[in-house]
Amino acid sequence: MQYSSKELEKKWQEYWKENNSFEPKDGYELPKKYILSMFPYPSGRIHMGHVRNYCIGDAFARHFRKNGFNVLHPIGWDSFGMPAENAAIKNRLHPKKWTYENIDYMREELRNLGLSFSKNQEFATSDELYTKFEQEIFIKMYEAGIVYQKSAHLNWCNECQTVLANEQVEDGCCWRCDNEVVQKEMPGYYIAITKYAQKLLDDLKTLENSWPSQVLTMQENWIGRSEGLEFKFDLTKETRAKLDKMFSSFKVFTTRPDTIYGVTYVAIAPEHEIVKYMVEQELLPKNKLNIIKRVQKVAEKDRATLEKEGVDLEIEVIHPLTGQKVPVWMANFVLSSYGEGAVMSVPAHDQRDFEFAKNYDLPIKQVISKDGKHSDEKLKEAFVEDGILVDCESFSGLTTTQAKQAIIYHFEQNSLGNKKVNYKLRDWGVSRQRYWGAPIPFVHCPKCGLVPEKIENLPIALPDDVEITGEGNPLANHPTWKDCSCPKCGEKAVRESDTLDTFVQSSWYFLRYATNYKKWQTEAINKEDSNYWMDVDQYIGGIEHAILHLLYARFFTKVLKDLGYTDSNEPFKNLLTQGMVLKDGAKMSKSKGNVVDPDLIIEKYGADTARLFILFAAPPTKELEWNDSAVEGAYKFIKRFYERSINVTQNGVENIFKIDQNSLNDKEKEARLKVYEALIKSNEVLTKTYAFNTLIASCMEAMNALSSQENEAIWAEGYYILTNILEPIIPHTAWELANKFFALSNFDKSIEVKDEVFSKDSIVLAVTINGKKRCEIEVAVNATNEEILELAKVAAKKWLENATIVKEIVVPNKLVNIVIKG
């Protein structure tokens, strides 16, 4: 039998396609498994990261399908987004044409890998039908108070007249025209994820032991719950006058109320209302105004990497406890998106405040020390440890823990402030001033204001007659698309031209898959279907999605539950984060010239070789180093496995289940043992450990053991079991062998483990003299103690010469100990 990967892989891929072999069954009677890999962006070609992700998922799907489960294993395309517009500009192609041509090509690439995806449940997020229901959900969220509009600072290029995503800003300049990017305040749409912050945090506990602990920790830190004190600083009389009585106070939040007596300045964000007012009214010297304007142009995410910089605003506030005047500074490290955009600064007890104070020669007042004693020594760095308060009026002598509670209590009792919980998590800005996205389904009416579109008018589809130049928003510039009637009053209105962040599409796609495709035309999510399929039993994807995608998906699931679409509370029951594929020690990338093309591997060796290598080379959660010789080794194993099936005879097949274990010789028993050990390993790997490399190694051991014996029935039994075990990994080869020798129904049932295979005729016992191991003996499992001792004395003869045996001990199934003297 000559192995030809091209021939048999083409044969079985056609068979699976014609027979709809991988469609989930209708109805809810069978036990289910929902296996999902993160869907790809249709960039044009699959890469080895895709191959690894989808081969892992496919192994799970095939294993559970074979073991009697109703399996949902879908694929789709995360097809909206900026790369399509970039390609449109570069290649003078419409984004839609570019996207759907890529989908067609990549779909065929995935089919060539033999992946057992459902054909019927496939969709692209840029399909108008998907957009229709996404817009419906967005409107429902708006009506529930979860979506709102506000103004925020965005990256703006004056040359291109467009908002830029963070990824499009390179060294502070526009990626396309190299013009300097500025921060421009613009209205946008936000999703109030902060309303779910505590629930998202609490429910992480339900994912322990089924999600990687690293991912849970990353989400916990991103949500960033902190308890502290919120209070206000009143502006001095002189400051109020300077600001034309436009402001009287502003709020701050602190997690360290115990340090409040150490405040020597207050810092506010460059975008704070007071700063903006002072810039507009030119209430500061020109050099200071220029610094503020320059800092305002820098995106918040970039400020964290810059040196601490600030400006004395020449205004003051009153300390709420001491009544002393405190200067107010604009500082680039204060974020307008956190709290109220203002912080009390305690340089003696916060390293960031300390560095800023040192830069600008501001006072540093220590109010906590280890022993509670005052020290005149200058601090070389901030003292951030717990200690005892000093120079803090009536709070002196309290520990930091006691002082936090006492000071918060004092503020609340005197109506100065309140205990508050804060989160680092910010509401999610979803507006994008780009063409290739889902249009936000709102209308601006001169009479009614912001009005959601009527559900029956959805989808609000993108116009096809646009030219993507990179200059401005094509939807805003379209001559007619924006013109519409107000859904509320019927008067002339203007359609919203912003589109949704692509993370919105990937935040609910798994619930769309969980609805039978026959119902897609009429509803976004069928609740009965969702309650059967959800939660996803196994989700597979890169750890780089640990925060944004996975957090948004969790959030959307909770919102959709509250809106009545599903009863699911968490989207993914189990999460596997696969490691990257490396070559020459680095992540594969075109720029590094270390990319391996999956198509070329399939052309040369076949899909089964690519699948076997990618699962054998490393455990799935670890990085995988590409190795050409290991690929060759994977091919040789499959070739050997296929061609040695010549030893499977009709006579052997007929006698598979009639093997008499007691009549077998040692090599035959060893072969059976290795085969069944691989079977047990298969169930363990695909339900618990995910260590496919150890499973494949077990199959290789079993093949070697089979090759060392000649019993036809054992050859047939070994191949019957190994084709089952290897079907999730090398499906084309396994289906060919099963069809040739055992019929395809081989894959419709699980295999019973035979205990007799693991029973042993003999056991090995250690022989110890005075507790020290000297040798080993092999004895029959039913040997008597007398027989065991006799064999032990013979084996240990040289250690017993000229000695007197004092005691003889047999520890069943473990050892023999002989105590001697002399």
Side-chain angles (χ1 to χ4, degrees), residues 354-371:
F354 182 85
E355 291 169 6
F356 189 89
K358 281 287 187 183
N359 284 350
Y360 293 101
D361 198 26
L362 294 168
I364 298 172
K365 180 185 178 185
Q366 185 172 357
V367 292
I368 300 174
S369 66
K370 277 187 177 180
D371 55 9

Side-chain angles (χ1 to χ4, degrees), residues 487-664:
K488 197 170 181 181
C489 70
E491 297 295 319
K492 284 185 178 181
V494 177
R495 198 173 295 291
E496 175 58 65
S497 60
D498 283 1
T499 54
L500 287 170
D501 178 12
T502 55
F503 273 112
V504 174
Q505 281 94 66
S506 58
S507 294
W508 71 284
Y509 79 110
F510 44 89
L511 280 158
R512 181 65 166 170
Y513 283 143
T515 292
N516 190 307
Y517 74 99
K518 297 169 188 173
K519 304 169 187 174
W520 282 359
Q521 292 292 331
T522 56
E523 55 189 329
I525 300 162
N526 179 272
K527 196 168 186 178
E528 198 175 7
D529 288 352
S530 169
N531 289 348
Y532 172 66
W533 287 113
M534 290 295 288
D535 304 341
V536 174
D537 293 282
Q538 185 66 65
Y539 197 43
I540 305 109
I543 198 164
E544 66 271 18
H545 301 291
I547 295 171
L548 296 183
H549 164 56
L550 287 171
L551 187 65
Y552 292 156
R554 294 182 61 225
F555 164 66
F556 249 73
T557 302
K558 295 176 190 304
V559 170
L560 290 171
K561 180 183 179 184
D562 289 347
L563 293 177
Y565 284 90
T566 180
D567 287 334
S568 187
N569 185 56
E570 285 287 339
F572 314 122
K573 191 178 295 180
N574 293 287
L575 173 67
L576 188 157
T577 52
Q578 92 276 3
M580 288 189 298
V581 181
L582 311 177
K583 191 165 191 292
D584 305 323
K587 182 181 179 182
M588 288 187 182
S589 71
K590 289 179 183 177
S591 61
K592 291 174 182 159
N594 66 345
V595 171
V596 175
D597 188 341
D599 290 350
L600 296 180
I601 299 298
I602 293 170
E603 176 67 26
K604 184 175 181 180
Y605 295 109
D608 281 352
T609 294
R611 293 170 65 119
L612 183 73
F613 165 76
I614 213 84
L615 293 175
F616 183 50
T621 57
K622 304 294 183 185
E623 291 178 338
L624 184 156
E625 177 70 37
W626 187 263
N627 184 317
D628 290 326
S629 62
V631 176
E632 182 77 29
Y635 172 77
K636 286 179 178 176
F637 170 73
I638 296 172
K639 186 173 186 291
R640 176 172 166 242
F641 179 63
Y642 182 81
E643 294 176 355
R644 289 206 179 176
S645 68
I646 197 170
N647 292 298
V648 179
T649 63
Q650 185 60 36
N651 180 57
V653 172
E654 290 172 359
N655 287 283
I656 285 177
F657 300 111
K658 303 172 186 175
I659 297 171
D660 179 5
Q661 179 74 9
N662 295 326
S663 67
L664 303 181

Side-chain angles (χ1 to χ4, degrees), residues 718-744:
Y719 262 74
Y720 180 85
I721 293 172
L722 289 177
T723 53
N724 266 278
I725 294 171
L726 288 169
E727 191 269 345
I729 300 168
I730 52 171
H732 308 88
T733 308
W735 279 64
E736 178 69 16
L737 293 175
N739 188 50
K740 187 176 182 65
F741 298 114
F742 313 112
L744 293 178

Side-chain angles (χ1 to χ4, degrees), residues 173-188:
C173 297
C174 173
W175 68 283
R176 185 167 173 269
C177 70
D178 210 32
N179 189 52
E180 183 183 9
V181 171
V182 298
Q183 294 295 296
K184 184 176 180 180
E185 188 171 0
M186 297 180 67

Side-chain angles (χ1 to χ4, degrees), residues 619-816:
T621 57
K622 304 294 183 185
E623 291 178 338
L624 184 156
E625 177 70 37
W626 187 263
N627 184 317
D628 290 326
S629 62
V631 176
E632 182 77 29
Y635 172 77
K636 286 179 178 176
F637 170 73
I638 296 172
K639 186 173 186 291
R640 176 172 166 242
F641 179 63
Y642 182 81
E643 294 176 355
R644 289 206 179 176
S645 68
I646 197 170
N647 292 298
V648 179
T649 63
Q650 185 60 36
N651 180 57
V653 172
E654 290 172 359
N655 287 283
I656 285 177
F657 300 111
K658 303 172 186 175
I659 297 171
D660 179 5
Q661 179 74 9
N662 295 326
S663 67
L664 303 181
N665 62 38
D666 288 347
K667 287 188 176 180
E668 291 168 343
K669 288 178 178 177
E670 179 70 8
R672 282 195 95 198
L673 176 66
K674 291 297 180 186
V675 167
Y676 276 94
E677 282 179 345
L679 176 61
I680 290 173
K681 177 70 74 175
S682 172
N683 291 323
E684 178 186 290
V685 165
L686 283 150
T687 58
K688 293 179 184 176
T689 69
Y690 311 149
F692 292 99
N693 53 320
T694 64
L695 168 58
I696 295 167
S698 292
C699 291
M700 291 175 172
E701 282 185 35
M703 270 300 297
N704 291 335
L706 282 173
S707 301
S708 299
Q709 59 85 52
E710 298 176 352
N711 187 312
E712 290 181 348
I714 290 173
W715 267 108
E717 181 188 52
Y719 262 74
Y720 180 85
I721 293 172
L722 289 177
T723 53
N724 266 278
I725 294 171
L726 288 169
E727 191 269 345
I729 300 168
I730 52 171
H732 308 88
T733 308
W735 279 64
E736 178 69 16
L737 293 175
N739 188 50
K740 187 176 182 65
F741 298 114
F742 313 112
L744 293 178
S745 58
N746 178 43
F747 297 132
D748 290 340
K749 48 184 166 295
S750 56
I751 302 169
E752 181 185 346
V753 175
K754 296 187 180 299
D755 294 335
E756 67 196 42
V757 171
F758 300 96
S759 63
K760 297 181 179 180
D761 297 327
S762 62
I763 55 174
V764 174
L765 302 177
V767 178
T768 63
I769 307 298
N770 288 348
K772 188 172 185 179
K773 184 179 175 181
R774 294 300 187 183
C775 57
E776 292 179 340
I777 56 173
E778 186 172 357
V779 301
V781 291
N782 57 356
T784 64
N785 282 1
E786 289 75 15
E787 291 169 332
I788 293 170
L789 287 168
E790 189 62 35
L791 287 169
K793 289 173 187 175
V794 171
K797 184 178 177 182
K798 68 178 181 179
W799 290 285
L800 299 177
E801 290 177 357
N802 305 318
T804 302
I805 296 176
V806 177
K807 200 172 185 180
E808 299 169 343
I809 304 166
V810 177
V811 180
N813 301 318
K814 287 189 178 180
L815 58 83
V816 178

